[in-house]
Every structure is written in C-alpha cells, then in structure tokens.
Amino acid sequence: MVSDGEASFFKGMLLGSISCVLITLFGQINIPHEGKIQDHEHHHLRAPNREDFLKMSEVQRMELSKSIRVYCIILGESKYESYRAILKDTWTKHCDKAEFYSTKNSRLFNTETNDMWLQMRETYKYVFEKYGYDYNWFFLARPTTFAVIENLKYFLFKKNATQPFYLGHTIKSGDLEYVAMEGGIVLSMESMKRLNRVLNSENCEDQSILWKLSEDRQLAICLKYAGVLAENAEDSEGRHVFNTEPIVHLIKEAMSNNPQQVVKGCCSDMAITFNGLTPRKMEVMMYGVYRLRAFGHHFNDALVFLPPNGSEND
Amino acid sequence: MSEIQFREMASKSWLNFLSFLCGSAIGFFLCSQLFSILLGEQGDTQPNILHNDPHARHFDDNGHNHLEGQMNFNADASQHADENTDISEKLYQKVKILCWVMTGPQNLEKKAKHVKATWAQHCNKMLFMSSEENKDFPTVGLKTKEGRDQLYWKTIKAFQYVHDHYLEDADWFMKADDDTYVALDNLRWLLSKYNPEKPIYFGRRFKPYVKQGYMSGGAGYVLSKEALKRFVDAFKTDKCTHSSSIEDLALGRCMEIVNVEAGDSRDNTGKETFHPFVPEHHLIKGYLPKTFWYWNYNYYPAVEILHFLQIEDLWQPCVEQLYWCHFSTSMCSLRVLLSHFGSWLLF
C-alpha cells in the first residue's frame, strides 16, 4: 500500500515531467521560427566569388590584400608547450603577427589556472589593449589547429572589419549559436572593440550554473550581449571552411555518408582550418599545402600571397 | 476533531506537499537533462554539407552507412573553375602509363578499392592483380597463392599478363602496391624526358647487392616498353630465375642481367621522388633512426635542406614533386591535398 507521502511524491514527479515536456516543446516550436529569421539575416557567410575579383584591377587587389592584417592568438594549456616550436615554424608564419598564450605566460596569469574562460578573457583583453588598432582581424586557434592564413585572408577579402564579425565553424546548442573553438574563432576589429567593452561586466562572468560551460560557449554568450552574433563560414558550395576535426576523420565520415562524392561532400577546396593535429601531422600539412603539387596544373588565383622572407618550408 | 489530530493532519499534508514539490522538481530536472542530451546531440551534429541553398538548414537524408559498392572520389569533377590543366592533359596523351596494382582478395575492400577511387584513375590504363580473379572489382587472376614469398612470382606473372594483353596500349608500365599513392602527373613529367624504346626503369634506387642498384618494391617502380619486353623474354630464355622470396631485389638482378638501365629518378635539385614510407617518415628529421637499414641502402646521398633550425635541426630531403609514396594510411587524405588544396595559394 503506497503511503500518502509517496503518492504525492510521484504525483509531483509526474507533474514536473509533464511541465518540462510542455515547456521544451513550446520552446522547440519557437526555435525554427527564430532560426528562419536569423538565416535570412546572414547566419551563413560565404567566401567571395571569382566575379568579385574580375571587377577589380590588379593594383586594387594588391592594395586590398595588404590591408587585411591578421593577428593570430594560439591559446592552449601548458601541456601544449612542445607545440610552440612547430607552430612558429609552420603556419603561424603566415599571420601578420602570431603569439602563443598559455597559462605559462606569467605576464598575464599569476598562477596556473584551469579556468579556460578566464584565460580567454584575459587574453582577449590583453590583445585588444596592445594590438587592437594595429590589426583588423583577430584569429584565435588551439595549438592542435592547422590554419591556412592565405585562405582566411581570401575569405575575409571584401568583408569590412568595422562591422561586427564573429566567424568560424558554428554549432547550435539550444538557443545559443556559438563558434567552436576547435575550428578557430575569427573576430573583426569591431567585434573585439565590443567584446572588450563588456568583458568586465557581469554578463561575461562565468555563466555556468549546474555544469561548466565551455569557453567557446561563454564567449558566444558574452558577444551576444554585446550584439555580436556567430556566423558559419562556408565556401561557395556551402561546405565548412573551418573544420574542427582532422582531414582523415572528415574523409572517413564522407566515405560512409557519401561514397559517391567523397571529396566533394567532405572538404572545401579552400578550407582554412583543420584541428586535432600533432606536430608531425603539421609538418605533413605544411608539405602538402605549400610544397607538394601535381605537375601541369595551373591555378589562376585571384590573389597572390608570397611566403615570408627567409622561409624555406613553404 | 481534537487538536492533536488536527496537528497530525496538518503535518501530514505539509509532508505531502513537500514530497509533491520534491517530486516535481526531480521530475522536471530529470526530464530537462534528458532533453538537453537529445537536443544537444541534435545541435552538435552538422547537416550533411551538400546543399547549394544558403538558407537550407535541413539534414541531408543519407541513410547509407557502409556502402559496400563503388566509391567515387569525384575529385576531378569539381575542378576549380580557374584551374588550367592543359599541360597535364597533353602529358596524359603523350606519356601513356599502364598501372598495375599488386593486391589480393583480402585487400580489395580495405585497400585496393581506395586506390581505384583515387590515383589509379589518372593512369591511362589500370589493372589490379590478385591471386584469384574477381569479375566485379575487377581483378586479374594470376593463379598463384598469396603471401610475401609469392610476391616475385606474382610480379613475373603480372608483367607477363600485361605484356601479352596490353603491350601496345602504353609506353610505360608501372607496378605499385595497394598501399602506395602515386602522383601520376609528376611521374609523367619524369618519364616525358625518356624514350620508351630505351631499356630503362625507374624507382627509389637502392645500392646493395646489385652493381647498378635495384629499385625498392615498396616505393613502386616503372618499366619502359623495351624493359618490359626484355624482362618477360628473360624467363622464356631462362636468363633470369623464377625463384626468389625478395621481389624487388630479384627484379633488380634480372634487370641488370638483361641490360636494362637503372634510371635516376631524382628531381632537378637532387631530391628523391620515390618514397618507400609515408610522408612523415621522410619529412621529419630523426623519425627514422640513424641505425635504420634504410640509410645504408640509398643509392644517392640524402639532400638536406638547411633551414629548419629548431630542436630538430635539419629537414629530411623534401620532394617538391612527389611520385610515389608507400602509404599505409591517409591515402585518401593525400588525394584531397594533391588535387584541391593548392587551389587558392600561390605556389
């Protein structure tokens, strides 16, 4: 015989579950609506087309490409210290400036902290103060990410850095759309400005209630408060240009999902990032992207980026 | 009602109320957790990316998992709008290469299928050689057994088959393993400088055991038409022996006997173009220990590029134009790199 107390308990549980279901369903109905509107407000950002370039003279193109200045932040825990050398000698050479930030940087952090969101905030603050006006784009990446900065610059070619851009590989988590840190986060100068205005406010403090929110989600919340929304970067065929996984994984997925169109379905020709690479794989990428080529194929690229002076592995 | 009874009733209902609240809170919490897991998964999975409509956010309905059929890389169908392949196409016509891939029934699905879907498409003719025939793949049945000790026998029979059926269809005849990646464009560039009527063969040249050296089996090798004729003829006239468990060495010995020259396949800066191992092994200094047999086998001195001044001081010979590479993984990744990644960069 169930006692009164237990009966009420179960009644309560039932009510709780039902109300939860109702609320969630109600919320779901709203999301596609919002989603649709937001889609029409440029949630997907596309790379420039060939036509965009044909109208410009070569001089104009040169000028514009020089005006895109990218500052690269490599943010990682101290266990990635060993990646520093490789990163310095590989893709980060192509940034206009690149610096490695980790908890071992005594200038920013007093003690080694495990709070990634705190690290990120302090890093962004520092970078903005020091470089906010010297560079117009700020690219944050993990030490395990390989980036092709030339493709990034191409992507940003006609985008105005005085607009609030927040780009990368976006993920939707409930109501929040955020840029995944693994794929790399791109902020325009305007976004940096706005971010730094609100970084000290309480809206940007740790928003975690029950479980810890990842720092990329926290960043999105903070930016949202400042009126900056995340946008997914895509090529002209709708494929991601920022990738959160290594090529091998993407291809494996494509092989099982899309065996007739493996390469076409999986990876963009002008991919900007891949993540999950070891230093060795970075060497291979460097070789594959900048050196290995098939004889007899000529790419008439709209933009020209020369390797940095004295650089020999690209 | 007495006061005591009243108090009892009050406390009971108070208790009931509490347990009701408790129940509803727990019910709500559990439910929300469940939903967040379900929704979270939905949020994190990205829609399959083959749509052209910028506003479409639906999930591509691909119920096919593990399609065991033909795999199409389609790497050239989506050619870059600005890519000019005139020279590559001209070379395709001018330097005809027949590729035969050494494989076996157990490797068709795992390895040979991917070779077929990727680089082998660029051969003028591609053949897959196995111990048994497979009409669907298709493979040529050599009627041998499988196993490392059968390699040389398989090689002889394969070249014989090619000679008997396709001699006039190509100028150059290349052997590769099913875990090798070949950049055909670059191979054509090398071979375009030579006359296929000349008895010569190319690969990664090793120096021991054979005076003029021999070509590493793993890195693959390519014979001129004349070299193929002489090789096949050598067994009819007993100039070369059939029995050997070391395929590449035996072939190299035979080549020397029938006066087929061991060619120099290096590029114009002296760097090797045929590689017996995966790129990492060749690109990263110190990956292969100094005591490794490989270092004593190379016919030509290793060319080092003196720029990488880090903890690992010197680079391994890096090849600008990679011809062959003996891969065990990442074959498809390299295909992606090779045909696509160069697109927006100045090289």
Side-chain angles (χ1 to χ4, degrees):
Chain A
M1 252 272 286
V2 182
S3 79
D4 269 348
E6 284 173 22
S8 338
F9 183 81
F10 286 117
K11 277 186 214 160
M13 257 193 82
L14 199 64
L15 182 68
S17 325
I18 292 173
S19 48
C20 174
V21 171
L22 286 174
I23 290 170
T24 315
L25 285 176
F26 191 63
Q28 282 281 64
I29 298 167
N30 276 336
I31 285 167
H33 236 286
E34 269 178 45
K36 266 221 172 105
I37 296 169
Q38 281 176 337
D39 276 342
H40 286 271
E41 285 175 358
H42 319 293
H43 243 207
H44 306 256
L45 221 55
R46 290 269 158 119
N49 272 321
R50 180 94 177 131
E51 289 71 49
D52 295 336
F53 293 94
L54 295 176
K55 303 177 200 145
M56 305 179 92
S57 73
E58 204 174 312
V59 179
Q60 279 177 309
R61 274 186 248 154
M62 280 289 284
E63 288 300 310
L64 250 184
S65 67
K66 278 196 207 135
S67 72
I68 306 173
R69 287 170 54 75
V70 176
Y71 179 92
C72 299
I73 302 166
I74 320 300
L75 185 63
E77 301 89 340
S78 45
K79 67 176 173 179
Y80 291 113
E81 277 300 306
S82 55
Y83 282 57
R84 217 190 257 251
I86 275 293
L87 289 167
K88 259 185 94 180
D89 201 68
T90 56
W91 66 265
T92 62
K93 282 196 283 192
H94 300 255
C95 303
D96 292 280
K97 190 168 178 71
E99 289 186 312
F100 201 95
Y101 293 86
S102 78
T103 46
K104 275 207 170 163
N105 265 13
S106 52
R107 57 184 162 172
L108 282 186
F109 309 109
N110 293 322
T111 51
E112 196 150 323
T113 166
N114 283 329
D115 188 343
M116 280 301 286
W117 173 226
L118 175 66
Q119 271 184 53
M120 200 188 250
R121 276 188 354 249
E122 294 303 308
T123 306
Y124 271 128
K125 259 191 235 172
Y126 175 82
V127 169
F128 181 68
E129 262 170 71
K130 207 165 176 209
Y131 303 109
Y133 294 96
D134 298 333
Y135 300 90
N136 42 19
W137 296 94
F138 298 84
F139 173 59
L140 184 137
R142 300 277 294 142
T144 51
T145 300
F146 185 93
V148 185
I149 299 297
E150 290 84 351
N151 288 0
L152 175 61
K153 288 193 174 183
Y154 177 76
F155 189 85
L156 298 174
F157 190 67
K158 283 188 110 191
K159 298 186 172 49
N160 191 345
T162 61
Q163 293 290 308
F165 283 104
Y166 166 39
L167 322 161
H169 181 120
T170 58
I171 299 178
K172 210 155 181 9
S173 169
D175 220 359
L176 179 74
E177 185 157 13
Y178 67 98
V179 171
M181 187 156 179
E182 289 79 26
I185 306 174
V186 179
L187 292 177
S188 64
M189 189 199 257
E190 176 63 22
S191 301
M192 283 292 274
K193 264 196 213 148
R194 293 195 191 185
L195 177 66
N196 277 273
R197 250 182 260 147
V198 301
L199 266 180
N200 289 319
S201 77
E202 59 177 25
N203 284 282
C204 289
E205 266 168 28
D206 201 325
Q207 300 281 323
S208 318
I209 315 160
L210 290 163
W211 55 90
K212 195 135 184 72
L213 280 179
S214 60
E215 61 277 16
D216 41 11
R217 281 184 174 87
Q218 306 252 31
L219 179 67
I221 293 170
C222 191
L223 280 167
K224 203 171 179 182
Y225 177 65
V228 179
L229 295 175
E231 289 174 289
N232 193 43
E234 298 165 4
D235 66 8
S236 52
E237 289 178 43
R239 295 175 293 208
H240 292 288
V241 290
F242 291 87
N243 296 291
T244 55
E245 292 181 272
I247 301 185
V248 187
H249 290 193
L250 296 170
I251 290 189
K252 275 200 193 131
E253 255 178 59
M255 290 204 299
S256 54
N257 294 341
N258 233 333
Q260 297 309 310
Q261 299 259 295
V262 181
V263 166
K264 194 166 190 198
C266 111
C267 312
S268 172
D269 288 1
M270 49 159 304
I272 297 173
T273 59
F274 292 101
N275 186 55
L277 280 79
T278 59
R280 283 185 172 149
K281 288 282 190 277
M282 300 227 185
E283 305 273 28
V284 180
M285 283 295 285
M286 206 61 191
Y287 173 71
V289 172
Y290 293 97
R291 302 191 68 189
L292 177 60
R293 69 179 189 108
F295 183 78
H297 293 251
H298 291 274
F299 301 101
N300 304 312
D301 293 334
L303 291 182
V304 164
F305 296 107
L306 297 171
N309 275 331
S311 176
E312 288 192 34
N313 58 350
D314 50 7
Chain B
M1 238 188 308
S2 77
E3 210 179 291
I4 298 166
Q5 275 182 318
F6 182 72
R7 272 211 207 106
E8 255 183 45
M9 276 237 5
S11 63
K12 236 194 190 170
S13 55
W14 178 234
L15 214 64
N16 285 350
F17 184 65
L18 267 182
S19 45
F20 180 82
L21 274 182
C22 228
S24 52
I26 290 175
F28 192 89
F29 180 71
L30 286 174
C31 199
S32 70
Q33 281 288 63
L34 194 71
F35 269 110
S36 80
I37 293 169
L38 290 174
L39 284 180
E41 267 174 17
Q42 231 190 21
D44 284 343
T45 49
Q46 293 303 297
N48 235 337
I49 329 147
L50 251 193
H51 54 81
N52 283 315
D53 176 7
H55 297 292
R57 267 177 163 243
H58 55 272
F59 285 38
D60 220 350
D61 188 12
N62 266 323
H64 315 144
N65 283 320
H66 314 291
L67 239 186
E68 220 92 313
Q70 178 93 332
M71 189 166 296
N72 192 354
F73 248 70
N74 231 339
D76 289 334
S78 62
Q79 249 190 37
H80 316 122
D82 317 316
E83 186 182 349
N84 181 328
T85 51
D86 284 350
I87 293 178
S88 157
E89 281 164 30
K90 282 201 182 90
L91 272 183
Y92 182 88
Q93 299 302 327
K94 182 168 169 256
V95 183
K96 293 191 159 59
I97 304 180
L98 178 148
C99 314
W100 70 262
V101 178
M102 174 87 84
T103 186
Q106 71 284 7
N107 279 341
L108 292 186
E109 191 60 31
K110 275 194 299 174
K111 298 185 180 181
K113 178 164 90 163
H114 301 286
V115 169
K116 187 165 174 232
T118 58
W119 63 262
Q121 298 286 323
H122 294 259
C123 304
N124 296 78
K125 175 84 192 152
M126 70 171 158
L127 292 169
F128 291 86
M129 302 292 184
S130 169
S131 51
E132 21 180 286
E133 185 186 20
N134 180 315
K135 291 216 166 85
D136 298 315
F137 191 85
T139 64
V140 172
L142 298 173
K143 300 194 186 86
T144 63
K145 287 182 266 193
E146 286 294 327
R148 212 176 166 77
D149 56 329
Q150 295 288 305
L151 276 181
Y152 190 45
W153 186 224
K154 279 175 87 175
T155 304
I156 297 170
K157 295 208 88 183
F159 272 123
Q160 205 144 45
Y161 180 89
V162 166
H163 174 273
D164 294 343
H165 294 89
Y166 296 102
L167 188 64
E168 298 311 321
D169 293 9
D171 307 311
W172 299 89
F173 303 85
M174 162 188 132
K175 172 254 173 186
D177 289 339
D178 53 16
D179 58 355
T180 299
Y181 185 91
V182 183
L184 265 304
D185 287 297
N186 293 347
L187 181 58
R188 288 197 179 90
W189 177 83
L190 168 72
L191 298 176
S192 65
K193 297 176 268 183
Y194 296 90
N195 183 353
E197 307 298 330
K198 183 177 170 177
I200 192 170
Y201 78 125
F202 295 95
R204 166 66 77 108
R205 204 163 167 188
F206 281 163
K207 65 180 178 220
Y209 312 121
V210 182
K211 189 152 170 271
Q212 69 162 0
Y214 69 99
M215 303 306 173
S216 153
Y221 44 78
V222 54
L223 275 58
S224 68
K225 195 192 295 243
E226 181 58 28
L228 174 62
K229 281 186 194 160
R230 291 194 188 188
F231 181 69
V232 169
D233 189 67
F235 294 99
K236 293 194 183 127
T237 55
D238 269 333
K239 288 202 192 105
C240 291
T241 167
H242 295 87
S243 64
S244 168
S245 57
I246 310 171
E247 168 241 340
D248 46 10
L249 181 54
L251 190 124
R253 281 207 171 105
C254 188
M255 289 286 128
E256 191 167 69
I257 290 169
V258 297
N259 292 315
V260 170
E261 183 188 337
D264 180 358
S265 59
R266 293 176 301 166
D267 72 10
N268 30 12
T269 59
K271 295 191 215 97
E272 296 279 4
T273 56
F274 288 67
H275 306 273
F277 307 118
V278 295
E280 275 139 85
H281 288 53
H282 294 283
L283 289 172
I284 293 161
K285 161 82 180 168
Y287 201 113
L288 298 168
K290 280 288 179 223
T291 49
F292 196 50
W293 59 265
Y294 172 77
W295 299 111
N296 293 321
Y297 270 49
N298 280 324
Y299 191 90
Y300 302 107
V303 172
E304 317 227 48
I305 303 165
L306 301 153
H307 74 278
F308 191 56
L309 303 165
Q310 297 281 344
I311 309 151
E312 299 131 7
D313 43 330
L314 296 168
W315 271 91
Q316 283 313 296
C318 275
V319 181
E320 254 74 12
Q321 297 182 341
L322 185 76
Y323 294 176
W324 307 75
C325 218
H326 202 228
F327 278 17
S328 49
T329 59
S330 321
M331 172 167 325
C332 300
S333 311
L334 190 70
R335 186 72 181 92
V336 176
L337 287 179
L338 199 59
S339 56
H340 283 253
F341 232 34
S343 160
W344 301 106
L345 310 170
L346 171 74
F347 188 78

